[in-house]
Amino acid sequence: MVHHVALFSLKPEVTPAKVEEMMRQTRISLLKIDEVCAVKCGRNVEAQNQWGFFMAIDVESMDKLAVVEQSAIFLKYTEEVIKPNTLSQVNLNYEMDPVRPEIRYI
C-alpha cells in the first residue's frame, strides 16, 4: 500500500468556509475513483504553518497512484478544487507496512 499526501498553501482569499467546501469536494470526488482505497483531508490548525490544507489517499501501488493521477475525475478535481484555491503544493509518497493478521495495532 502507498499513502500519498499532498500539502497545499492556500491563496489569501480562501475563507474557512471555502476550505470546508474543498474538504467536502475532496471526499466526494476522490472516493469515486476505483483505485483509491481511502481518502483523508483537512485544514491546518496551526496559524504559523504554511500548509493550510492537506489531501491524502491510499492506493495499492505506485502504478495505481499513476492511474489515479491520470483519471478524468482526479484531473477535474485538480482543475476545479485545487488550482483555484492554492498557491503551491508538496507531494509525498510513503510505502505502508503490509497488514499482517498476527499483529494487533492499538
Side-chain angles (χ1 to χ4, degrees), residues 6-95:
L7 306 174
F8 300 94
S9 63
L10 298 171
K11 291 182 177 178
E13 66 270 17
V14 174
T15 65
K18 185 61 181 175
V19 175
E20 290 291 327
E21 178 63 21
M22 290 173 68
M23 291 170 59
R24 189 170 28 265
Q25 288 302 319
T26 297
R27 290 187 299 271
I28 289 169
S29 298
L30 301 184
L31 285 172
K32 292 179 182 176
I33 303 170
D34 291 338
E35 290 78 11
V36 172
C37 300
V39 174
K40 293 186 180 183
C41 59
R43 64 186 163 282
N44 185 17
V45 295
E46 297 174 339
Q48 72 276 15
N49 188 330
Q50 76 178 45
W51 308 110
F53 178 73
F54 90 94
M55 175 274 292
I57 59 173
D58 293 342
V59 293
E60 291 178 0
S61 66
M62 289 299 291
D63 290 338
K64 297 279 185 167
L65 179 59
V67 170
V68 168
E69 291 176 333
Q70 294 305 311
S71 73
I73 294 170
F74 187 84
L75 295 172
K76 181 179 179 184
Y77 163 78
T78 300
E79 287 299 317
E80 294 180 359
V81 177
I82 297 302
K83 285 184 179 180
N85 297 299
T86 65
L87 295 170
S88 62
Q89 79 182 68
V90 171
N91 293 317
L92 306 165
N93 296 309
Y94 295 93
E95 185 174 29

